[in-house]
Amino acid sequence: VEGSVVRDGIKIPPESGIDVITCIAFKSNQIVQADVSGCLNVWDLKARASQNMHTGRGWIKKMRFSPGKGNLKLLILYSDGVDIVDLKNGQYERIAELKCPKDMVKITDIDWAAPDAPVLATEDGCLRIMDIKLSLSSSPLPDYTYQEPVCCTSLLPPSVQSQLQVLMSIPASKDVGYSTRFTVQDGIPLDQLKAVNEQVALLDMEALRSCKLGTAELSLVTAILLRDLPNIDFWTVALYYLQIGALQAQERKENHEEQKDKMQRLDSVPVSDFKRINKYPSVQPLDTCWDFLCDPYSYQKLQLERVNLYEWRRGDYKHTQRVVERLILLGEMDRAVQLLLETDLDNPNYYTDGIKACLVATIQSTGAAQSTIKLVATNLIANGNIWEGVQLLCLIGKGLDGCRYLSSYGLWEPAVWLAKSILPPAENLEVLKKWVDHLSNIGEKDLAVLVLISLCQFEKALELLISYGQEVKAGLLLIALQDFKIPVENNIL
């Protein structure tokens, strides 16, 4: 076989004295055929010769050659046991045999774990790894079972686990409460019902009764109980931004025009002067481990804390320059100028740093100055000095252009970092939406959904989940949106 083309090879003619063939094994230049009467026909392709060998054991059900170059040990499965034979040098040498049920319970399948370790599957549900003489074996799997039942819903079939997750995530009525036993009417297959109820009995169902935030919190607690890490991540982020989305929806409803004017004023503020404010201090923010998925206020605060730490621990000149770069990008101009002026007189970069300090300190917002600086920044970026050009763009409030340049060069994470750190909401949304498209194109589907949720773009997140075939998660998210009274288009599903 070459690619998709099958060519004629060596043809093996029917051999006299051979009955109906039951199985074939092939290794190196040896092709072994077995029949219903227990006879082996061994073809040597190199010598173009064959010979018949009778095992005297009856119907041969399966054969497997031992792994390893030049190793022609053959494991043979019969109706009443197994043999290990060596076909090296064209000879039939029996190494070991095992008969059932005299020596062991009935064997159902065979294979090799290593060149000297055959594996036997027996009808009592055990896998036994034998030695080459078939005299010693590992202990059967039941010997290692736990005395106490183990809680692991991942052992359930995926469809059953998904159904169980839905049942636990939907708020229960006050009259009925949360059931600790499920039935076929709940959508659990009859053959899996016992296993499901055994697993549920091991879960702390009381944790579900303490949930006050509806489907989202129930889904998070359910994911924790089921040890479902992807869903833990999803619902942790979703629960936070659902609370934020609910507060935003309430604000828009109460004072729509005032909020609109406020956003317009914020969008007109120069990037270098824009500072985040914590609009919703009543909601516990996400942990810093979520990084890009944190809210803008927490993210900017984290970046400022980090750059302060870097400044405190700075050592050589190169480290100081990295700190200055971050300070300029974050709009901390006064501190950046101070560090630039601390350059030693004997440093060859003293003049450059002095000029840069003057530029940062005396930056003008006039049209002519902005045009000049933007031209210089564009030329720097075109010549490969990307970060130097982006710093200049940030000095004149063109952080969005800086993000666009970074993303065009494939520097998506720095672009997102800059957008989350300094850009106004509308511009930040533009950059992160493009990042979502990029994540979708490279297969980072789960992260793309989380980014949309962090932008409170719940409808887009629902559409993305449905397009990825995650209808169950999309349905639970839709119910959660209804719980928080966040409006969603009727035709979203």
Side-chain angles (χ1 to χ4, degrees), residues 102-286:
K102 177 183 176 182
D103 302 321
M104 186 180 292
V105 295
K106 186 176 180 180
I107 299 169
T108 58
D109 203 356
I110 58 172
D111 211 327
W112 293 87
D116 58 349
V119 181
L120 309 180
T122 54
E123 66 177 2
D124 59 353
C126 298
L127 285 175
R128 290 178 166 85
I129 302 177
M130 312 291 292
D131 66 340
I132 198 66
K133 295 294 184 181
L134 297 178
S135 58
L136 299 175
S137 73
S138 61
S139 54
L141 292 179
D143 292 349
Y144 293 96
T145 57
Y146 292 101
Q147 297 298 322
E148 299 293 332
V150 178
C151 180
C152 183
T153 56
S154 298
L155 298 176
L156 298 172
S159 59
V160 176
Q161 187 180 9
S162 178
Q163 179 65 15
L164 177 61
Q165 183 180 10
V166 172
L167 292 172
M168 295 174 62
S169 300
I170 300 297
S173 62
K174 295 182 180 179
D175 298 333
V176 179
Y178 287 97
S179 175
T180 56
R181 292 191 65 82
F182 295 102
T183 63
V184 178
Q185 284 72 26
D186 295 315
I188 306 296
L190 183 60
D191 59 333
Q192 296 292 331
L193 191 59
K194 181 180 178 182
V196 168
N197 285 324
E198 287 177 352
Q199 291 293 319
V200 171
L202 300 173
L203 299 176
D204 181 16
M205 300 296 285
E206 289 295 327
L208 297 176
R209 296 184 174 90
S210 61
C211 296
K212 306 297 183 184
L213 298 177
T215 302
E217 188 177 7
L218 283 169
S219 298
L220 175 58
V221 174
T222 298
I224 294 172
L225 292 175
L226 301 182
R227 282 83 165 175
D228 188 350
L229 294 181
N231 275 317
I232 291 175
D233 293 345
F234 177 85
W235 288 110
T236 299
V237 176
L239 180 59
Y240 172 74
Y241 283 104
L242 283 168
Q243 296 177 74
I244 299 298
L247 293 173
Q248 290 178 347
Q250 185 178 358
E251 287 181 356
R252 286 193 295 268
K253 185 177 180 180
E254 292 176 352
N255 200 352
H256 178 71
E257 291 300 326
E258 182 180 345
Q259 288 296 318
K260 183 177 179 181
D261 294 341
K262 186 177 180 181
M263 288 301 297
Q264 289 176 349
R265 290 197 300 272
L266 286 175
D267 288 347
S268 64
V269 175
V271 173
S272 59
D273 296 332
F274 189 84
K275 291 294 183 291
R276 310 293 191 201
I277 57 173
N278 188 5
K279 296 178 63 178
Y280 309 106
S282 60
V283 182
Q284 179 69 27
L286 291 173

Side-chain angles (χ1 to χ4, degrees), residues 263-264 266-267 274 276 400 404 423-433 455:
M263 288 301 297
Q264 289 176 349
L266 286 175
D267 288 347
F274 189 84
R276 310 293 191 201
L400 178 59
R404 288 170 177 167
L423 292 189
E427 295 180 356
N428 176 53
L429 180 62
E430 177 184 334
V431 175
L432 265 66
K433 276 187 173 181
L455 297 171

Side-chain angles (χ1 to χ4, degrees), residues 409-430:
Y409 281 88
L411 301 174
W412 280 102
E413 288 195 7
V416 173
W417 175 87
L418 187 60
K420 291 278 291 187
S421 298
I422 65 171
L423 292 189
E427 295 180 356
N428 176 53
L429 180 62
E430 177 184 334

Side-chain angles (χ1 to χ4, degrees), residues 290-303:
W290 295 102
D291 203 43
F292 293 131
L293 299 175
C294 291
D295 63 279
Y297 169 78
S298 300
Y299 188 79
Q300 187 186 60
K301 180 182 176 183
L302 174 63
Q303 302 313 313

